[in-house]
């Protein structure tokens, strides 16, 4: 648990490094941020914070650099206070509507491609946008297979014969007959139709007459949608060249890590799923929840809506990202997307 003084030092060191790119020494902190304490006192606190894994030094006489743990404290503090919008929503909305490129203006592909370019330009990081293709797929059949106790095998057959399956556990046991009846009701509504045309009415219809099993049915529906979502993302990205402008990416290995992340998509898909499920801002800093080879990067995702569909937009950048500005950029763009959707 950090003391109030330690918290102030952590925030000051992170802020100074984000702004200057230089390690922060005790004199810098006392002159610019915490003027009521002596450099010696700050040095002692910094040493303790280094032992607690908030700071590190490149050599013994250098100032301190923040670790991912320190950035986490900084980001959490940002989320606890209000932020000034980066740009006027009207300006961003106008940019989303201006003619450009070969895509059909106003299509979801057009909007998300524009969004990624805007993010890249405004942050000098990689802009990412993701939409689930789930809304456009046609479901042929859904089955729940009782596997014993509360374990269930979910099988989803899509148009064209593509089959997805996954195991999950229900909150408590549901009889095979009831599972079969629940699947029959889902298929009555969903079979041969696009998910976007049935998702709003599917739950209430499937549950009709089964209210006593509401918790189980809700769990089964959630697992079904999660399975489909996890398999059906479409990714858009821009700005891989933007990161070359940042001093943090002068090493070829760091650039390769970003490109590898964009190509693999698996980790990004997992983060997008979490962001959608929690319906809130998601920030992953270094390797606190990500593969070790991208430990020098951070990822920010925020839920959005594009052309009536649920989407997620985000930023991939260095640990030394201007988090407050980046989050404000994303929030401003999401507001502009919502305004455009409401026109």
């Amino acid at each position: 648990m950090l003391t109030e003084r330690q918290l102030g030092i952590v925030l000051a060191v992170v802020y100074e490094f984000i702004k200057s790119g230089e390690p922060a020494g005790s004199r810098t902190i006392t002159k610019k941020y915490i003027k009521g304490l002596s450099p010696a006192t700050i040095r002692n606190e910094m040493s303790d914070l280094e032992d607690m894994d908030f700071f590190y030094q490149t050599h013994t006489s250098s100032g301190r650099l923040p670790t991912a743990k320190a950035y986490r404290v900084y980001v959490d503090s940002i989320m606890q206070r209000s932020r000034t919008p980066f740009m006027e929503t009207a300006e961003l909305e106008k940019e989303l509507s201006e003619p450009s490129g070969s895509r059909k203006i106003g299509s979801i592909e057009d909007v998300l491609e524009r969004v990624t370019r805007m993010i890249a330009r405004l942050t000098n990081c990689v802009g990412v946008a993701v939409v689930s293709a789930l809304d456009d797929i046609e479901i042929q059949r859904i089955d729940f297979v009782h596997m014993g106790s509360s374990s269930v095998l979910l099988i989803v057959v899509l148009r064209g014969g593509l089959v997805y399956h996954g195991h999950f556990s229900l909150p408590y046991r549901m009889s095979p007959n009831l599972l079969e009846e629940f699947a029959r009701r889902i298929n009555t509504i969903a079979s041969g139709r696009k998910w976007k045309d049935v998702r709003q009415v599917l739950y209430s219809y499937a549950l009709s007459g089964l209210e006593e099993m509401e918790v189980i049915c809700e769990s089964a529906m959630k697992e079904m949608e999660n399975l489909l979502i996890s398999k059906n993302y479409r990714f858009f990205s821009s700005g891989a060249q933007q990161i070359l402008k940042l001093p943090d990416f002068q090493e070829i290995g760091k650039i390769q890590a970003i490109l590898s992340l964009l190509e693999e998509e698996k980790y990004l898909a997992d983060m997008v799923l979490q962001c959608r499920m929690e319906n809130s801002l998601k920030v992953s800093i270094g390797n606190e929840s990500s593969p070790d080879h991208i430990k020098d990067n951070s990822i920010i995702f925020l839920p959005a809506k594009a052309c009536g569909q649920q989407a997620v937009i985000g930023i991939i950048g260095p640990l030394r990202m201007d988090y407050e500005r980046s989050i404000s950029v994303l929030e401003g763009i999401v507001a502009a997307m919502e305004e455009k959707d409401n026109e």
Side-chain angles (χ1 to χ4, degrees), residues 7 40 132 140 147 210 228 304 340:
L7 175 61
S132 171
Q140 292 299 313
M147 302 298 290
L210 301 175
L228 290 170
K340 189 175 186 304

Side-chain angles (χ1 to χ4, degrees), residues 64-257:
R64 262 70 177 192
L65 294 164
T67 64
K69 189 175 179 181
Y71 282 114
R72 169 52 61 193
V73 171
Y74 180 75
V75 169
D76 289 347
S77 74
I78 290 174
M79 300 312 301
Q80 292 172 10
R81 63 177 186 265
S82 59
R83 290 172 295 284
T84 303
F86 175 69
M87 289 178 66
E88 289 294 328
T89 300
E91 290 182 54
L92 295 170
E93 187 185 351
K94 179 182 178 183
E95 190 169 343
L96 286 174
S97 303
E98 289 176 349
S100 71
S102 58
R103 295 280 193 184
K104 179 182 177 182
I105 296 175
S107 68
I108 192 164
E109 293 88 353
D110 173 63
V111 171
L112 295 184
E113 285 185 352
R114 289 169 185 263
V115 163
T116 60
R117 291 196 297 270
M118 289 166 63
I119 293 171
R121 189 187 77 249
L122 295 172
T123 65
N124 280 337
C125 296
V126 177
V128 180
V130 188
V131 65
S132 171
L134 175 62
D135 286 348
D136 292 320
I137 63 174
E138 187 176 298
I139 296 171
Q140 292 299 313
R141 183 171 180 80
I142 290 170
D143 286 305
F144 298 105
V145 180
H146 190 262
M147 302 298 290
S149 186
S150 60
S151 179
V152 175
L153 172 64
L154 168 63
I155 301 173
V156 181
V157 183
L158 305 180
R159 181 182 59 189
L162 187 61
V163 178
Y164 291 148
H165 61 85
H167 287 86
F168 65 96
S169 295
L170 294 170
Y172 51 93
R173 185 178 180 130
M174 189 176 191
S175 72
N177 289 340
L178 199 53
L179 268 177
E180 185 177 334
E181 171 62 15
F182 187 54
R184 187 192 66 78
R185 294 183 181 211
I186 292 175
N187 287 318
T188 298
I189 289 290
S191 181
R193 298 178 182 175
K194 291 185 178 180
W195 181 255
K196 67 181 179 182
D197 297 331
V198 300
R199 67 189 307 172
Q200 297 300 323
V201 298
L202 186 56
Y203 177 77
S204 58
Y205 176 82
L207 189 59
S208 178
L210 301 175
E211 286 79 4
E212 74 279 5
M213 306 299 290
E214 181 173 1
V215 174
I216 285 185
C217 294
E218 189 175 68
S219 177
M221 292 281 285
K222 183 177 180 181
E223 291 293 339
M224 179 181 71
E225 183 162 9
N226 287 346
L227 175 65
L228 290 170
I229 288 173
S230 67
K231 303 290 186 181
N232 283 279
Y233 282 130
R234 296 177 62 194
F235 284 83
F236 301 80
S237 66
S238 293
Q241 73 280 2
Q242 297 290 123
I243 60 177
L244 298 176
K245 301 177 182 178
L246 301 175
D248 310 75
F249 289 98
Q250 297 309 301
E251 296 178 21
I252 189 66
K254 293 182 178 181
I255 298 172
Q256 289 174 333

Side-chain angles (χ1 to χ4, degrees), residues 35-77:
K35 300 182 179 180
L37 297 175
S38 69
T41 300
I42 296 293
R43 261 195 311 275
N44 289 335
E45 291 283 19
M46 283 180 155
S47 179
D48 290 341
L49 288 164
E50 186 173 351
D51 292 339
M52 297 162 65
D53 197 33
F54 285 97
F55 301 146
Y56 71 97
Q57 292 177 286
T58 54
H59 53 84
T60 54
S61 61
S62 71
R64 262 70 177 192
L65 294 164
T67 64
K69 189 175 179 181
Y71 282 114
R72 169 52 61 193
V73 171
Y74 180 75
V75 169
D76 289 347
S77 74

